[in-house]
């Protein structure tokens, strides 16, 4: 497998995704405002529903074929998005984009598993480029909104740029190496050891979805400018990208579980500092200094969780497991968006951050229970 091609495809495609994140909400006309949520939710729902089927296909079809099909679908859908304002058509197109995202993401995640060594570094690089691409894409789309007076026209131009970006990944997708493309004779199955961290991953994705809803609340309730909030988020994404690469490599040296614990400590600190800030106990600017190292520690979670799972995947089940773990990625963010939006509107910022803390505690508790059950059964089987 060519790791460089996987990372390049991931980076370039995430630039396209980042452009769409900003462009699509502006593109939808104002008189469709009540339907914005419907249009936006079509993407994660479609991606979640298609992730496991795509994972099953990874073992039967070459990864470069699946990724290339996803690229072409995303390219065509991005162009079609600029020629219609009908909310039904937009919803269908955004759903098709979700299917294309699964066709691209699940095979790429699976190709990292196939290396079977240094998975921490592999997934650290994967998710670092993931965030880096989003940062660039959001910047490009934001620049279009600034340069072009009409928000709709700016979004239309942004979507055309996104389509070109997606098309640029096609040659790389066709050249992917290391694809399995062979039918595995043994029956693919899900094992408890592979699913132990699934609740924790779902909880993290829900919290990420909640985090996406905070900017409007920070601007509305704390009178913080949108530019300042955007700067905080972009800086946080940069810290996450750097930390994922660093802790991914470290996980291969000192052990995945130790890095997961470090990540949980960091995430707990992030939530605690966020609650202090939004409660007005101290200013946002005063929180930034301790927040940076806390975010850096929290970045350890993502590559270490995937490395933990990757090292335990039974041969032949790689695509299936990556498809399973891609489901909470899509569903969790969507659920987090809904919870965060409702909580900010009806309960306030402090309660929203407290809700994120409750999600983290619940996911950790459930994961801990599964961990104890798994290790108890493993110990008993060795004893007998």
């Amino acid at each position: 497998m060519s790791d460089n091609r996987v990372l390049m495809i991931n980076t370039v495609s995430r630039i396209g995704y980042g452009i769409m994140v900003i462009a699509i909400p502006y593109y939808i006309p104002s008189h469709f405002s009540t339907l914005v949520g419907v249009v936006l939710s079509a993407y994660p729902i479609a991606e979640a529903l298609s992730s496991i089927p795509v994972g099953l296909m990874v073992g039967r079809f070459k990864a470069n074929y699946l990724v290339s099909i996803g690229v072409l679908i995303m390219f065509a859908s991005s162009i079609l998005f600029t020629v219609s304002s009908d909310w039904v058509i937009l919803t269908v197109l955004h759903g098709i984009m979700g299917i294309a995202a699964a066709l691209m993401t699940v095979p790429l995640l699976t190709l990292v598993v196939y290396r079977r060594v240094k998975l921490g570094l592999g997934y650290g690089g994967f998710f670092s480029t993931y965030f880096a691409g989003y940062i660039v894409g959001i910047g490009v789309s934001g620049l279009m909104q600034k340069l072009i007076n009409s928000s709709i026209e700016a979004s239309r131009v942004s979507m055309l740029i996104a389509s070109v970006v997606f098309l640029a990944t096609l040659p790389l997708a066709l050249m992917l190496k290391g694809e399995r493309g062979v039918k595995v004779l043994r029956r693919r199955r899900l094992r408890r050891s592979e699913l132990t961290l699934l609740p924790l991953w779902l909880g993290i994705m829900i919290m990420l979805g909640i985090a996406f809803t905070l900017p409007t609340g920070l601007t509305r309730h704390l009178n913080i400018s949108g530019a300042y909030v955007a700067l905080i988020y972009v800086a946080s994404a940069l810290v996450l990208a750097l930390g994922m690469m660093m802790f991914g490599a470290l996980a291969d040296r000192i052990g995945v579980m130790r890095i997961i614990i470090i990540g949980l400590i960091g995430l707990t600190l992030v939530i605690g500092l966020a609650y202090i800030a939004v409660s007005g106990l101290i200013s946002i600017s005063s929180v930034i200094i301790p927040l940076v190292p806390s975010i850096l520690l929290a970045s350890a979670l993502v590559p270490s969780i995937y490395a933990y799972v990757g090292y335990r995947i039974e041969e032949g089940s790689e695509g299936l497991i990556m498809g399973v773990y891609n489901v909470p990625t899509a569903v969790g963010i969507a659920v987090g968006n809904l919870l965060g939006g409702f909580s900010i509107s009806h309960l306030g910022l402090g309660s929203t951050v407290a809700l994120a803390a409750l999600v983290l505690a619940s996911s950790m508790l459930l994961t801990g229970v599964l961990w104890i059950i798994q290790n108890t059964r493993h110990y008993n089987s060795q004893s007998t």
Side-chain angles (χ1 to χ4, degrees), residues 203 206-211 213-214 271 275 278 335-345 347-363:
I206 292 175
M207 285 188 291
L208 183 61
I210 292 174
T213 66
L214 291 178
I271 293 176
Y275 183 80
V278 300
V335 171
N337 286 336
L338 293 173
L339 289 175
F342 175 84
S343 181
I344 288 175
S345 299
L347 303 176
L349 279 173
S351 297
T352 302
V353 176
L355 178 63
L358 179 61
V359 170
L360 175 62
S362 301
S363 63

Side-chain angles (χ1 to χ4, degrees), residues 126-244:
F126 185 91
F127 286 103
S128 291
T129 55
Y130 183 105
F131 275 89
Y134 265 115
I135 292 169
V136 175
I138 290 172
V140 170
S141 195
L143 181 62
M144 292 301 103
Q145 292 292 333
K146 186 175 182 179
L147 295 177
I148 301 174
N149 292 329
S150 171
S151 294
I152 293 179
E153 288 303 317
S155 295
R156 184 173 285 113
V157 172
S158 295
M159 292 299 289
L160 289 174
I161 294 173
S163 68
V164 174
V165 170
F166 285 121
L167 188 61
T169 64
L170 184 59
L172 294 170
L174 292 172
M175 292 188 294
L176 275 176
K177 301 295 182 181
E179 58 277 69
R180 222 17 100 85
V182 294
K183 295 182 180 180
V184 180
L185 296 179
R186 70 176 67 182
R187 182 174 177 269
R188 283 168 287 189
R189 58 180 181 173
L190 299 173
R191 298 188 301 173
R192 292 187 185 91
S193 60
E194 300 162 344
L195 302 178
T196 302
L197 298 185
L198 196 62
L200 179 59
W201 183 244
L202 175 61
I204 292 171
M205 291 299 102
I206 292 175
M207 285 188 291
L208 183 61
I210 292 174
F212 287 155
T213 66
L214 291 178
T216 54
L218 291 171
T219 301
R220 186 183 310 138
H221 297 292
L222 298 183
N223 296 320
I224 301 173
S225 69
Y228 188 48
V229 173
L231 180 62
I232 293 174
Y233 270 66
V234 170
S236 299
L238 285 172
V239 173
L240 285 171
L242 293 172
M244 286 176 186

Side-chain angles (χ1 to χ4, degrees), residues 40-110:
L40 295 181
S41 64
Y43 182 106
I45 291 173
E47 183 179 5
L49 292 175
S50 55
S51 288
I52 293 178
V54 170
L56 292 170
M57 288 191 290
V58 170
R60 297 179 178 273
F61 301 97
K62 291 184 177 180
N64 57 349
Y65 293 167
L66 296 174
V67 175
S68 298
I69 292 171
V71 167
L72 290 173
I73 293 174
M74 195 67 79
F75 165 72
S77 300
S78 300
I79 293 178
L80 292 174
F81 221 95
T82 66
V83 299
S84 175
S85 296
D86 184 84
W87 73 271
V88 176
I89 295 176
L90 297 179
T91 302
V92 172
L93 286 173
H94 210 208
I96 292 173
M97 288 178 173
I99 297 173
L103 284 166
M104 296 170 65
T105 304
V106 175
L108 292 176
L109 286 168
T110 305

